[in-house]
Amino acid sequence: MEKKATTTGMIQVRDMTKIAIFTALLCILAPMSIPIGPVPISLTNLVIYLSLYILGMKKGTISFLIYLLLGLVGLPVFSGYAGGPAKLVGPTGGYLIGFIFIALIGGYMIDRWPEKYALHFIAYVASTALCYALGTAWFVYLMDCTVAYALGICVFPFIIGDLCKIAVAMFLGAQVRRQLRKANLA
């Protein structure tokens, strides 16, 4: 009979599978984007928001970092089926890096206060604002444009859609998380 690992720091096969599933979801859904300017509409942040309810902060962040590494080595997993280091240092690279903060901040709040949905919403909005700030700062630096111009094409067109993504992820994530707990799979 196999002995089950009891070390809390050790990642179990079940956890690795969940991480792999969300990494795969990112790799499938993130490239399918709508180009509306230099920053496309993508489902990357929706998958991140959702993954944090299912995986938690640590595993959700790991999932996203694996996705970033896959894109960095050239797999076409970024918006518009792009890959490689040029995407990370290009005009939208700051937003890709900013997604890490969504995973860390949003995941922390969900892990720490699992039933405090108002805090989850605040954390998602605040971390998305931080992502916007990092991405916009990088965009302004790289493109040598004004902050007002960058906000007009890189932030303002996305606010309503991102709020909708947060709402969808919170609703679905909470439901899936409850069901996984009932099935003793969380």
Side-chain angles (χ1 to χ4, degrees):
M1 188 162 111
E2 250 180 71
K3 188 175 181 180
K4 186 177 179 181
T6 57
T7 308
T8 56
M10 186 176 189
I11 294 182
Q12 303 279 326
V13 172
R14 181 184 295 177
D15 294 332
M16 287 189 287
T17 303
K18 290 178 191 175
I19 290 168
I21 288 169
F22 274 93
T23 302
L25 279 173
L26 279 165
C27 291
I28 293 166
L29 296 176
M32 293 188 278
S33 59
I34 301 169
I36 63 167
V39 179
I41 296 173
S42 80
L43 297 176
T44 308
N45 53 348
L46 173 64
V47 177
I48 295 168
Y49 298 140
L50 186 58
S51 75
L52 299 173
Y53 273 98
I54 311 304
L55 303 176
M57 180 189 76
K58 181 180 175 184
K59 291 175 260 189
T61 303
I62 290 170
S63 171
F64 181 70
L65 291 174
I66 292 169
Y67 161 80
L68 278 181
L69 288 173
L70 291 171
L72 181 65
V73 298
L75 292 177
V77 297
F78 297 138
S79 62
Y81 297 94
K87 188 72 170 182
L88 284 176
V89 296
T92 59
Y95 298 103
L96 288 168
I97 300 303
F99 287 144
I100 296 169
F101 294 99
I102 292 174
L104 292 172
I105 296 167
Y108 175 79
M109 296 302 274
I110 291 168
D111 287 354
R112 181 79 169 98
W113 295 283
E115 301 299 321
K116 302 282 186 181
Y117 298 106
L119 288 178
H120 303 172
F121 179 78
I122 291 167
Y124 277 160
V125 170
S127 60
T128 300
L130 179 58
C131 178
Y132 286 162
L134 291 170
T136 302
W138 180 249
F139 186 87
V140 167
Y141 170 75
L142 202 63
M143 303 304 287
D144 193 28
C145 64
T146 66
V147 172
Y149 173 79
L151 289 172
I153 63 169
C154 299
V155 175
F156 296 146
F158 299 90
I159 293 172
I160 292 174
D162 286 346
L163 288 171
C164 291
K165 291 175 194 176
I166 289 170
V168 167
M170 287 182 65
F171 176 76
L172 289 177
Q175 299 299 322
V176 171
R177 188 176 186 151
R178 268 191 222 105
Q179 294 304 316
L180 288 172
R181 283 188 176 156
K182 280 183 184 178
N184 200 27
L185 295 172

